[in-house]
Amino acid sequence: MVDDDVVILTMMSRLLKSKGIDAFPASSAVQALELLKKQIPDLILSDFVMPDMDGFKFRQILLKDPQLRDIPFVFLTSQNDNSNAAKALEMMAIDYIDKNTPINLVVNKLVNILISIQKQHEQSLYEIGAAAKALNLRSVPDNLPRFSDFRLEYLHQTFENYLGGDFVDFIETGNGQTFLFIGDVMGKKWGAWFFSFNFLSYIRSAIRFCIFEAELSTQAIVSKINRVLNHDPVLQNVLSTLSLILIDHKNGKITYTGAGDMPLLLFKSNERKLTEVRSGGLLLGALPEGMFDQQEFIMEKGDILLAFTDGMTDCKVNGEAKTNYLGFVDRLRKYFDEEDPFEEMKEKLMDDHICESVIDDRSLLYIEKL
Amino acid sequence: MIQTELKYDYCLVKITEKQANLENAEEFKLLMNEVIADGNKLIVLDLAEVVYVDSTFLSAMIAVLKMTMSHGGDLAVWNLNDDIANLFSLIRLDRAIKVYKELPTKFAGITVN
């Protein structure tokens, strides 16, 4: 809200707050531009006539900034003449409100505009989601396969209903082995989601080719995927994490290669201890020589292996985003004493925040030796 | 968003944002492109003011590493807070980008020593 009349600003702020809307008042366009560096609002309301920089100049500056130009903009003025109205609408303002309108009506109008923006936004998300579903574009499976020797589960939560860059999938070799993988295309919301399909296709094809050639080394597979990605002009500068896990059902052996992923967490049932399984590989697409290695270990009855994306560890604390890996691991520890650790995680982990809010989509892969 | 200073044999680039994220990653890449185009091949990023780096900004840092490498240079980082240093180690970014605890008098990175 930008107006050099502090009385109007204060009154409107109070009224908006009483309707559950946070208003950020600025007494000049210069001050508003400073505020916009820290906070992106759902709507901007600005007076026309102000000293130093008027509403038109302010709007012109916003229109030149790709991050600010699409924020819905409403002009407020007492100079209610037709030429100003036309000028306002030419500058892609969504509305023009006469300052002489009683203030409670102005506030009601703003509330209605905000509600309709929110509805449009939800509708767009719903339509894109529906289109993705119709095209069978999914980055997580409906279910993971059931086995008598391993229990496989996953958790996945989108961020503010946007489909994001996280992906989870599996491939059965048909020869007593199962590949499981989880990853996160770096970036946020739609951009990351779009690229997650390219990554998923590469990963699935590389695994399939290696199965045909009886090459079941996770290190070789991840190295091949990385080599291809480093030559792909479309995916240049798009990076992804990957945890590739191969389960051998004959002997309970796990083979794992990671690419820039969070360490796996292994709960050893007989020792009641949670340990990290670290891999040396860099992010997929980072450098042609990805420094990939391969970890191998046996899972015993009751052991649980977890792989997860960084959305599980990042959150907002006191309004600031933070990485809190250690806090996340600490929180996990208590679930292993429960009768069904996965059900506890499913029920509590996604809501049991040690922070104010999550900031990315988040996924977790759960592997339990039965 | 950045301040540059020539120091010893490298260019020290201070990131003046608390949140290095999706919103400023693209601008960072463009500005770093100019720094490299000005002939600076060895670059140390100073993250003293940065509280959090999201995955989009990490991607931008790797893009900058690649830019320096294509000019025969290298990228290192300095002044990481504990969370960011831990993240670099967790996802092995410290194997591609050298993390300094103290500023060196001569650049020593991973690809350029």
Side-chain angles (χ1 to χ4, degrees):
Chain A
M1 260 171 31
V2 197
D3 198 322
D4 57 322
D5 186 335
V6 182
V7 178
I8 288 186
L9 272 183
T10 314
M11 280 170 66
M12 279 219 279
S13 292
R14 275 193 203 144
L15 269 172
L16 283 165
K17 192 144 186 92
S18 72
K19 294 186 183 287
I21 293 165
D22 284 331
F24 301 91
S27 56
S28 70
V30 176
Q31 198 190 350
L33 288 169
E34 277 305 306
L35 272 175
L36 285 167
K37 285 183 187 166
K38 296 177 197 130
Q39 188 88 26
I40 301 289
D42 296 320
L43 179 73
I44 297 172
L45 176 72
S46 173
D47 192 8
F48 258 127
V49 184
M50 294 183 286
D52 300 329
M53 189 191 294
D54 67 14
F56 280 124
K57 179 73 189 151
F58 175 52
R59 182 65 184 141
Q60 273 169 346
I61 291 173
L62 296 186
L63 285 171
K64 281 183 195 152
D65 188 325
Q67 275 189 33
L68 305 177
R69 70 174 168 219
D70 296 324
I71 303 171
F73 192 99
V74 175
F75 272 117
L76 180 68
T77 185
S78 49
Q79 295 191 332
N80 190 13
D81 65 63
N82 288 339
S83 68
N84 269 352
K87 223 167 151 188
L89 297 174
E90 266 170 31
M91 295 179 84
M92 292 168 24
I94 59 169
D95 214 335
Y96 174 94
I97 303 176
D98 179 1
K99 232 178 177 175
N100 298 319
T101 313
I103 200 154
N104 58 336
L105 287 183
V106 173
V107 168
N108 282 343
K109 188 160 185 173
L110 290 176
V111 171
N112 286 341
I113 291 173
L114 280 166
I115 291 171
S116 83
I117 290 169
Q118 179 66 21
K119 279 193 178 153
Q120 266 180 22
H121 184 70
E122 281 167 8
Q123 182 65 18
S124 307
L125 285 180
Y126 172 78
E127 281 171 11
I128 297 177
K133 208 171 168 190
L135 292 164
N136 203 21
L137 293 176
R138 291 175 310 158
S139 42
V140 292
D142 282 338
N143 289 300
L144 290 173
R146 301 256 159 235
F147 297 106
S148 58
D149 57 345
F150 277 94
R151 178 181 176 191
L152 309 178
E153 306 275 4
Y154 76 90
L155 298 173
H156 175 71
Q157 190 183 57
T158 55
F159 168 60
E160 292 179 348
N161 289 330
Y162 288 91
L163 299 166
D166 282 9
F167 57 86
V168 177
D169 211 351
F170 69 96
I171 291 181
E172 291 180 71
T173 65
N175 194 24
Q177 286 139 327
T178 306
F179 281 100
L180 283 163
F181 52 95
I182 177 167
D184 175 17
V185 175
M186 304 190 111
K188 285 223 161 56
K189 300 181 181 175
W190 301 121
W193 174 76
F194 174 76
F195 286 116
S196 68
F197 296 105
N198 297 43
F199 276 88
L200 258 176
S201 305
Y202 273 131
I203 294 164
R204 294 188 67 89
S205 334
I207 295 175
R208 285 276 174 219
F209 277 123
C210 289
I211 294 172
F212 293 151
E213 292 165 6
E215 163 74 276
L216 295 183
S217 145
T218 52
Q219 182 182 16
I221 293 170
V222 176
S223 300
K224 280 179 188 170
I225 298 166
N226 186 56
R227 214 174 309 147
V228 177
L229 288 170
N230 271 281
H231 284 94
D232 185 330
V234 176
L235 292 179
Q236 254 179 16
N237 294 327
V238 182
L239 307 173
S240 176
T241 70
L242 176 67
S243 311
L244 178 62
I245 296 163
L246 174 64
I247 298 176
D248 192 330
H249 295 282
K250 290 189 282 290
N251 49 21
K253 189 171 125 186
I254 302 291
T255 310
Y256 153 66
T257 295
D261 55 340
M262 288 287 169
L264 304 193
L265 293 174
L266 176 63
F267 177 74
K268 296 295 288 178
S269 174
N270 53 0
E271 300 165 39
R272 314 298 301 164
K273 207 173 133 193
L274 189 63
T275 53
E276 281 181 357
V277 183
R278 290 208 182 203
S279 164
L282 300 179
L283 289 159
L284 285 179
L287 295 175
E289 59 290 339
M291 306 182 196
F292 304 109
D293 57 17
Q294 181 166 300
Q295 310 294 325
E296 296 178 359
F297 53 93
I298 303 284
M299 281 180 74
E300 310 286 352
K301 189 175 182 322
D303 288 356
I304 295 166
L305 183 66
L306 302 176
F308 49 91
T309 60
D310 66 353
M312 298 297 299
T313 64
D314 293 2
C315 60
K316 253 187 191 168
V317 178
N318 297 329
E320 274 187 351
K322 269 179 79 75
T323 296
N324 192 356
Y325 170 75
L326 295 175
F328 172 70
V329 175
D330 263 353
R331 199 156 29 119
L332 273 179
R333 283 182 209 283
K334 63 183 177 202
Y335 300 124
F336 296 105
D337 291 328
E338 302 292 339
E339 196 182 326
D340 187 339
F342 178 72
E343 281 306 315
E344 286 294 316
M345 286 177 201
K346 189 175 167 186
E347 203 179 303
K348 294 182 182 154
L349 189 60
M350 299 309 226
D351 299 317
D352 181 14
H353 301 318
I354 50 167
C355 50
E356 289 153 23
S357 60
V358 294
I359 48 179
D360 202 354
D361 53 339
R362 25 189 218 154
S363 312
L364 176 138
L365 190 59
Y366 177 97
I367 302 168
E368 182 181 351
K369 180 79 171 70
L370 301 174
Chain B
M1 111 144 273
I2 61 167
Q3 286 168 1
T4 58
E5 179 191 350
L6 292 179
K7 222 168 165 74
Y8 306 107
D9 62 340
Y10 52 87
C11 179
L12 183 64
V13 178
K14 186 179 183 108
I15 300 175
T16 57
E17 300 278 344
K18 278 173 94 173
Q19 298 279 317
N21 58 23
L22 174 76
E23 279 161 27
N24 45 35
E26 204 51 40
E27 186 190 355
F28 170 70
K29 261 198 301 194
L30 291 172
L31 292 170
M32 290 308 295
N33 197 14
E34 286 171 23
V35 172
I36 295 163
D38 285 344
N40 300 294
K41 294 192 294 188
L42 302 176
I43 292 169
V44 179
L45 295 178
D46 177 358
L47 273 74
E49 290 184 15
V50 181
V51 177
Y52 172 74
V53 184
D54 80 349
S55 66
T56 310
F57 203 92
L58 286 178
S59 299
M61 281 165 77
I62 290 179
V64 172
L65 167 70
K66 288 181 173 177
M67 281 183 221
T68 58
M69 285 167 74
S70 69
H71 287 76
D74 201 356
L75 179 74
V77 289
W78 174 54
N79 260 336
L80 309 188
N81 71 23
D82 288 348
D83 284 341
I84 300 172
N86 193 28
L87 178 69
F88 263 63
S89 158
L90 282 173
I91 67 166
R92 286 85 71 190
L93 213 50
D94 55 357
R95 298 186 79 195
I97 300 174
K98 175 87 177 170
V99 178
Y100 288 133
K101 289 214 165 78
E102 283 172 31
L103 265 193
T105 51
K106 184 176 186 306
F107 187 94
I110 286 176
T111 55
V112 173
N113 285 298

